[in-house]
Amino acid sequence: TDLLGELDQWALERAILTLKERRDSGRETQVFVRQSAVSATDPNHASWLLGKLRAQQMVGTGLVLDFRLSDLSANLEAVKKNFAALHELDVAICLSRFPEKTAAFKVLQYVHADFISITPRLLQADRDVINSVIKQAHATKAKVIVGNIDDPRNIDLHRSSGAHYLLGAFIQQPPDTIDYDF
């Protein structure tokens, strides 16, 4: 129904309000907001976001826009321009569902994402593969998020491999609201 761009904006407006509330109460917060390929390639997205950030007097936002890596391949040139404009606003970028493939790392270097969130199937790989992905991500200065941690043995494995953030029901049960102070 061509509403993805509007849904992305709606989600961002809520995230900005949450960030402002937390900042006003003295708590620095990072909020990851899933966005679609529509927003990644929209040449007006960064200027729209700038207007919303200015309206709330938000600078150095703590906002991280999360895009599925596979959704970006159609127009990488537009994505790179938009990501550069978002970085100028102090908005960070995360590439989610990140595989161990060479092409993925080329995209990461090209668009200069700040975070990667590895694909869940990669958790089934052996330790050397995971270590290699994390090492290559670090070489591009990207931080690594590993999700779906459901076994306590995986905490040590991924933490010792250099992952920056671990997510999963084993780490913390999902709360009923998004007001949990991590």
Side-chain angles (χ1 to χ4, degrees):
T1 61
D2 294 328
L3 293 176
L4 280 177
E6 291 178 45
L7 287 170
D8 286 348
Q9 289 178 351
W10 179 86
L12 280 173
E13 288 174 340
R14 271 50 188 182
I16 291 168
L17 291 175
T18 298
L19 283 168
K20 181 160 180 49
E21 288 172 7
R22 289 183 178 261
R23 178 162 296 159
D24 290 349
S25 69
R27 298 186 311 196
E28 292 296 317
T29 305
Q30 279 189 314
V31 174
F32 286 71
V33 183
R34 176 67 50 91
Q35 297 283 277
S36 70
V38 171
S39 293
T41 57
D42 178 359
N44 300 314
H45 191 61
S47 61
W48 173 87
L49 183 55
L50 176 61
K52 295 299 179 182
L53 292 170
R54 282 186 176 160
Q56 296 297 327
Q57 300 177 339
M58 295 293 292
V59 178
T61 66
L63 191 58
V64 182
L65 303 189
D66 182 2
F67 298 91
R68 287 179 67 137
L69 177 65
S70 60
D71 292 345
L72 304 180
S73 61
N75 193 348
L76 282 176
E77 190 172 321
V79 168
K80 182 177 181 169
K81 281 183 184 177
N82 288 342
F83 285 7
L86 290 166
H87 279 129
E88 288 179 20
L89 303 178
D90 289 325
V91 173
I93 304 296
C94 179
L95 301 178
S96 61
R97 314 240 338 118
F98 198 90
E100 74 281 7
K101 299 182 185 325
T102 303
F105 287 100
K106 288 181 180 180
V107 171
L108 174 61
Q109 286 184 302
Y110 185 70
V111 301
H112 303 290
D114 305 283
F115 296 88
I116 66 166
S117 177
I118 66 171
T119 185
R121 73 170 176 73
L122 193 54
L123 294 177
Q124 307 307 316
D126 66 26
R127 186 179 189 127
D128 291 338
V129 172
I130 293 170
N131 285 340
S132 174
V133 168
I134 292 173
K135 183 178 177 183
Q136 289 179 73
H138 287 168
T140 68
K141 307 233 186 301
K143 293 182 179 175
V144 179
I145 302 166
V146 178
N148 299 326
I149 303 295
D150 57 1
D151 183 337
R153 293 171 293 192
N154 289 337
I155 294 172
D156 183 51
L157 167 68
H158 299 305
R159 183 58 78 191
S160 66
S161 297
H164 296 86
Y165 298 100
L166 301 176
L167 307 171
F170 184 79
I171 306 291
Q172 169 71 40
Q173 288 296 324
D176 293 332
T177 67
I178 62 169
D179 194 34
Y180 181 78
D181 186 4
F182 292 95

